[in-house]
Amino acid sequence: KQWYQRRVVIFQKDLGAKGEYSVYSTFQSHEPQFDYLKSLEIEEKINEIQWLKRQNNNLFLLSTNDKTIKLWKVSERRYRLDGFNLYDEYGAQRDLRSINTSDKLRIPHLVPVNELTVEATPKKLYDKAHMYHINSISLNSDDETYLSADDLRINLWHLDSTTECYNVVDIKPVNMEELTEVITAAKFHPQHCNYFVYSSSKGTIRLCDMRAQALCDQHAKMFEEPEDSTTKSFFSEIISSISDVKFSSCGRYMVSRDYLTVKLWDLNMDSRPIETYNVHEYLRSKLCSLYENDCIFDKFEVVWGGPSNSILTGSYHNFFRIFDRTNNKDACFEASRESAKPKTQLKHCKVGVGPKRRKDEISVEMLDFNHKILHAHWHPTDNVIAVAATNNLYLFTGK
């Protein structure tokens, strides 16, 4: 899947060509809206997409913009209805008075079509439940409920109900001047439907158990790395804000992404992360300029790969980094049209800091901060990754 502005593009793997994908369907998910009470324009840009577990030949997915969540059904049409009584074979309106006997009454029937037609139909609309911008949605393991999170609240929805939802987290203070943090992401546990986590702008992750109480303001566990006073600066709180959090497939571990690092957490140890990976440590000296051009507020995603042995996340200059936990190695690659050519092997990219650097290194001063990879995904079963760079989607296949 790919989301760019308001359109959803679904790609399908070609059965004949190895590693080749083609466009399966594309449709417009949201329209621009206007909130007249707040005099606020609601953008059509899609913030997140979640697949529902497949139950039949049809595909179902949830898509959300800042305010509205939609449930879409994507289906194939291989037949069309023919033989209507109201129109003749040329499409002209039939005189209903001429249908006066039973032999002139025709029963519509299905006729095969030569070309496959894929239709996307909105089935349900979930709206008017968030005062602030929705930043994430997460489907539960029961395949019946899902979470939607904005800056201050998290709601629990049932897929069949569009008129009501339950507020499970509310961190809005009585006085907004006392606000110290906001919610950045929320995710359900992949196996236990009563557990979910949410991350905050203060670098914390809270694990909540819905069996304990209906309103999960009191968390079961809080995961937070102790602050190092020696490295504290004006930007410490900004770069510690967690932009994304994901559970491993087994549910034992979590991976989180802040501005400079990726951290791996064990649910049984909330005192500190068990592993920390530097994504672009060479940018620490550039934080002042990154703050001035607002790049320091970019939200990068992080995803698991394979059986939770690899981690993928993006960076600037269309770089993306893969961390191999088994061999304790990492590699940086660039998503470009040259690297995306068939049978082209990706080359490792290195960034040099200082006046002296190697020939195969690019200077940190030459990095393009307008080209960045914020969204990425790893295929759940195949060794295929997808990275979104500006308005391009790159697919890479491993050997």
Side-chain angles (χ1 to χ4, degrees), residues 71-293:
L71 174 64
W72 289 90
K73 173 186 175 182
V74 183
S75 57
E76 297 180 352
R77 287 193 62 181
R78 300 181 181 273
Y79 301 89
R80 62 177 176 85
L81 284 171
D82 190 36
F84 287 98
N85 293 285
L86 302 180
Y87 301 93
D88 58 20
E89 59 270 19
Y90 302 105
Q93 183 80 32
R94 188 187 298 271
D95 186 3
L96 299 181
R97 292 175 297 180
S98 63
I99 309 175
N100 49 19
T101 59
S102 60
D103 60 321
K104 294 183 179 181
L105 182 65
R106 298 189 300 175
I107 299 177
H109 58 280
L110 294 174
V111 178
V113 294
N114 296 327
E115 295 184 2
L116 174 65
T117 303
V118 181
E119 292 183 342
T121 309
K123 304 301 292 184
K124 293 185 184 297
L125 181 70
Y126 313 89
D127 62 349
K128 300 178 182 178
H130 285 278
M131 294 289 293
Y132 307 95
H133 290 178
I134 300 173
N135 53 50
S136 60
I137 53 177
S138 177
L139 187 67
N140 201 348
S141 59
D142 61 10
D143 297 322
E144 294 181 352
T145 57
Y146 71 92
L147 291 176
S148 62
D150 62 27
D151 293 340
L152 298 179
R153 293 187 177 95
I154 301 176
N155 293 331
L156 176 67
W157 298 82
H158 195 283
L159 287 170
D160 293 334
S161 177
T162 61
T163 57
E164 62 179 2
C165 62
Y166 300 95
N167 181 226
V168 291
V169 173
D170 188 349
I171 65 170
K172 182 180 179 181
V174 178
N175 185 2
M176 286 296 287
E177 294 181 357
E178 300 175 358
L179 182 66
T180 59
E181 63 178 335
V182 295
I183 299 170
T184 56
K187 290 293 182 293
F188 261 123
H189 193 278
Q191 298 174 0
H192 302 292
C193 59
N194 53 289
Y195 289 138
F196 71 90
V197 297
Y198 68 92
S199 56
S200 79
S201 58
K202 296 188 73 173
T204 62
I205 303 173
R206 293 174 173 87
L207 174 67
C208 299
D209 187 353
M210 292 190 294
R211 296 174 302 181
Q213 51 190 356
L215 187 61
C216 301
D217 287 343
Q218 300 297 323
H219 51 268
K221 281 188 176 182
M222 185 171 72
F223 302 84
E224 183 178 16
E225 185 177 23
E227 186 178 14
D228 188 358
S229 58
T230 59
T231 59
K232 188 175 182 180
S233 67
F234 171 78
F235 306 105
S236 295
E237 186 172 338
I238 301 176
I239 63 176
S240 66
S241 175
I242 297 176
S243 58
D244 193 19
V245 59
K246 297 278 180 32
F247 278 105
S248 62
S249 57
C250 65
R252 170 72 182 272
Y253 305 101
M254 295 184 300
V255 63
S256 65
R257 171 68 201 267
D258 56 41
Y259 189 68
L260 295 179
T261 64
V262 167
K263 295 182 175 66
L264 185 69
W265 303 84
D266 189 333
L267 260 64
N268 296 331
M269 189 177 74
D270 55 5
S271 57
R272 58 176 53 85
I274 58 174
E275 297 172 15
T276 301
Y277 302 98
N278 292 321
V279 180
H280 38 217
E281 182 64 22
Y282 46 81
L283 294 181
R284 188 174 292 274
S285 61
K286 306 277 294 181
L287 292 180
C288 185
S289 59
L290 292 170
Y291 177 79
E292 293 176 353
N293 60 19

Side-chain angles (χ1 to χ4, degrees), residues 25-89:
S25 175
T26 175
F27 59 92
Q28 184 169 314
S29 176
H30 288 74
E31 295 281 354
Q33 296 174 297
F34 191 82
D35 189 338
Y36 293 96
L37 293 177
K38 294 184 177 181
S39 297
L40 181 67
E41 184 178 354
I42 303 173
E43 295 183 358
E44 65 270 32
K45 180 176 66 70
I46 303 172
N47 295 335
E48 189 165 356
I49 294 174
Q50 283 277 305
W51 285 109
L52 274 66
K53 186 176 292 184
R54 194 164 188 170
Q55 304 290 344
N56 47 41
N57 293 331
N58 301 319
L59 300 173
F60 291 89
L61 60 89
L62 290 169
S63 64
T64 180
N65 65 351
D66 289 340
K67 297 290 184 181
T68 305
I69 306 168
K70 292 184 179 182
L71 174 64
W72 289 90
K73 173 186 175 182
V74 183
S75 57
E76 297 180 352
R77 287 193 62 181
R78 300 181 181 273
Y79 301 89
R80 62 177 176 85
L81 284 171
D82 190 36
F84 287 98
N85 293 285
L86 302 180
Y87 301 93
D88 58 20
E89 59 270 19

